[in-house]
Amino acid sequence: MLGGLDIATWSAIIVAAMVILLVAGVPLAFTTGSIAVALCLILYGPQSLFLVASRSVEFLDSYILVAVPFFILMASLMERSGIAKDLYDALNVWAGRMPGGLGVVTVFVGVILASTVGVIGGEIVLLGLVALPQLLRLGYDRKLAIGTICASGSLGTMIPPSVILVFFGITAGASVGDLFLASLMPGLLLAALYVAYIVARCMLDPKMGPPPPEHELAMPLAQKLLLLRGVALPILIAVVVLGSIYLGFASVTESAAIGVAGVALAIAVRGQLTLSLVRAAAFQTMATCGVVLWLVLGTNALIGVYNLMGGIDFARSLLTGLPLPPLALILVMVGVWILLGFFLDWIGIMLLTMPIFVPAAEALGYDRIWLGILFNIAMQIAYLTPPFAPAAFYLKGVAPPEIGLDEIFSAMWPFIALQIVGLALVIAFPQIALWLPSLAR
């Protein structure tokens, strides 16, 4: 008993307090942090506040955490340099008369950008600025164009390197390198599902994705080959960053630093490396890291206090004690992630659920690497699912004024269905995620 109440009652009080504060508009970081402080003072006295500080220091003392600002800085530099536009133009001329060719190119560009930036915000903004005007100019169905950009831009969290996987590795005690390997095939699977859907829709109704004008298709081969220079740079950066990790030449943190140096060198070669560009990218990186770290501090403090109360053991035993087969419990976990994704961002969901779900899944005989990939795909769904749907708000910020949020929301449902198909395949066939890590061991 704690303060005259059992842990089940305290758990209900904590959930109710979180709901009330979030509905009142209090940011998640300060919601969880304030609840943690209140619990310390009520149950253990002022001296227990040391727990909040020690948990925060312990988490922030992780060396691999340094990779996060490097990946975000790399994304910010790519966003401002025009590299993405050159990449898009280079691939566009090779799409030819393929049904939905420009939509397919958008997915490919999304995959290449995802392999270099690791975060979705910049990628969706880039595709919204570069691809959306071209898709609309050629007469693509607006909902197909919008859904393609949101889904392809969200691959930044799925294709390695991914900031989500870095934080999952720290939180769950899993190898980030193995997580990067495990996420590659599921990420490419999602991209393949998007391509198949776009091609099928445009084959059934060519008006959904008409080809470029004849004069654009008549570009000489030599000029097309020349444009491929725009593809070489992002691919080279991705190969260097991921190859240095997988071949054991560098840690995740070191490869992230190499990636930043590579992007900066590429921008310098293009003659675009200016003080104003670097300053803007640095400020964006600091702002993004600040938001994420406040969420980490607040949520990590609450988890520490709840663990001291015996709440983690209570929740884990409650979950594993349900009269359900192991796979059904995994589906419950995935359902909780998707449901929480309607209202919370990924870092809050991860820090709130992983201390409970990871040990429970391992007790049921499941691999934590596989669980991390399931979480990542669930967050892909959350990125597109209203009412939170960060992808929709990122795109709305750069879309033409006549495209409203309601149209963006409705455009994403077919791609959400494709993400659910991808999630179901990875659940049914775990080797889709675990095959590459098994080869590396």
Side-chain angles (χ1 to χ4, degrees):
M1 300 290 284
L2 297 163
L5 301 174
D6 60 20
I7 187 60
T9 305
W10 277 114
S11 299
I13 291 172
I14 291 171
V15 171
M18 287 187 62
V19 170
I20 292 170
L21 290 174
L22 289 171
V23 169
V26 179
L28 178 61
F30 303 120
T31 292
T32 52
S34 60
I35 292 174
V37 170
L39 288 171
C40 281
L41 294 175
I42 293 170
L43 297 177
Y44 304 108
Q47 69 277 7
S48 65
L49 291 175
F50 175 76
L51 172 68
V52 175
S54 62
R55 286 275 302 188
S56 301
V57 170
E58 181 182 349
F59 190 92
L60 295 176
D61 196 35
S62 174
Y63 172 66
I64 199 171
L65 198 60
V66 180
V68 174
F70 279 131
F71 283 133
I72 296 174
L73 179 58
M74 191 161 56
S76 186
L77 290 171
M78 290 276 288
E79 178 184 342
R80 287 169 164 76
S81 65
I83 292 175
K85 184 179 184 304
D86 290 350
L87 171 65
Y88 193 83
D89 291 342
L91 291 177
N92 182 24
V93 300
W94 291 90
R97 294 178 173 82
M98 176 192 298
L102 199 58
V104 173
V105 166
T106 301
V107 177
F108 274 110
V109 172
V111 170
I112 295 173
L113 290 177
S115 66
T116 57
V117 300
V119 291
I120 74 157
E123 192 176 343
I124 291 178
V125 169
L126 279 171
L127 291 177
L129 290 171
V130 175
L132 185 58
Q134 296 299 318
L135 292 166
L136 298 180
R137 177 182 67 84
L138 291 178
Y140 270 66
D141 177 80
R142 289 213 318 195
K143 289 187 176 180
L144 180 63
I146 291 167
T148 298
I149 288 173
C150 289
S152 303
S154 297
L155 288 171
T157 65
M158 198 70 221
I159 304 288
S162 165
V163 171
I164 284 185
L165 293 177
V166 173
F167 274 101
F168 180 88
I170 297 171
T171 305
S175 165
V176 175
D178 283 351
L179 287 166
F180 280 3
L181 281 172
S183 67
L184 182 59
M185 295 303 293
L188 295 177
L189 172 64
L190 289 179
L193 290 172
Y194 301 157
V195 168
Y197 172 74
I198 293 166
V199 172
R201 287 292 303 273
C202 294
M203 287 181 66
L204 293 173
D205 183 3
K207 293 180 180 178
M208 296 281 292
E214 193 62 37
H215 71 274
E216 294 185 19
L217 295 173
M219 182 180 293
L221 178 61
Q223 192 173 348
K224 288 184 178 181
L225 292 173
L226 192 62
L227 283 173
L228 287 178
R229 292 182 305 178
V231 179
L233 181 60
I235 291 179
L236 180 60
I237 294 171
V239 168
V240 170
V241 171
L242 298 179
S244 61
I245 297 173
Y246 299 154
L247 296 176
F249 295 149
S251 67
V252 172
T253 301
E254 292 163 345
S255 67
I258 293 170
V260 172
V263 171
L265 178 61
I267 297 172
V269 170
R270 293 162 60 95
Q272 297 173 321
L273 190 63
T274 63
L275 182 60
S276 60
L277 184 147
V278 174
R279 184 189 295 116
F283 274 117
Q284 182 181 5
T285 301
M286 291 174 66
T288 303
C289 288
V291 170
V292 171
L293 290 178
W294 271 112
L295 283 166
V296 168
L297 294 176
T299 309
N300 205 35
L302 178 58
I303 292 299
V305 178
Y306 191 59
N307 189 32
L308 183 64
M309 296 167 61
I312 301 296
D313 292 334
F314 163 74
R316 186 186 307 135
S317 62
L318 184 66
L319 186 64
T320 55
L322 291 174
L324 295 171
L327 186 58
L329 289 174
I330 294 294
L331 295 178
V332 169
M333 295 178 190
V334 172
V336 169
W337 289 330
I338 294 174
L339 181 63
L340 290 176
F342 292 169
F343 311 103
L344 301 177
D345 59 11
W346 61 269
I347 187 70
I349 298 171
M350 177 188 297
L351 293 171
L352 287 171
T353 61
M354 289 311 162
I356 300 168
F357 285 5
V358 171
E362 289 196 321
L364 296 170
Y366 293 107
D367 191 300
R368 68 177 61 192
I369 299 293
W370 178 66
L371 190 72
I373 303 308
L374 297 187
F375 173 77
N376 215 0
I377 302 176
M379 292 304 97
Q380 289 277 296
I381 298 171
Y383 275 127
L384 269 61
T385 308
F388 191 62
F393 293 96
Y394 283 127
L395 183 61
K396 175 58 182 170
V398 296
E402 63 270 18
I403 295 180
L405 273 175
D406 55 342
E407 185 175 9
I408 297 176
F409 285 151
S410 63
M412 293 194 292
W413 289 112
F415 292 89
I416 293 171
L418 293 172
Q419 290 173 334
I420 293 173
V421 170
L423 177 62
L425 288 172
V426 176
I427 291 175
F429 304 101
Q431 284 305 309
I432 294 175
L434 299 178
W435 177 63
L436 281 178
S438 68
L439 290 181
R441 290 171 184 158

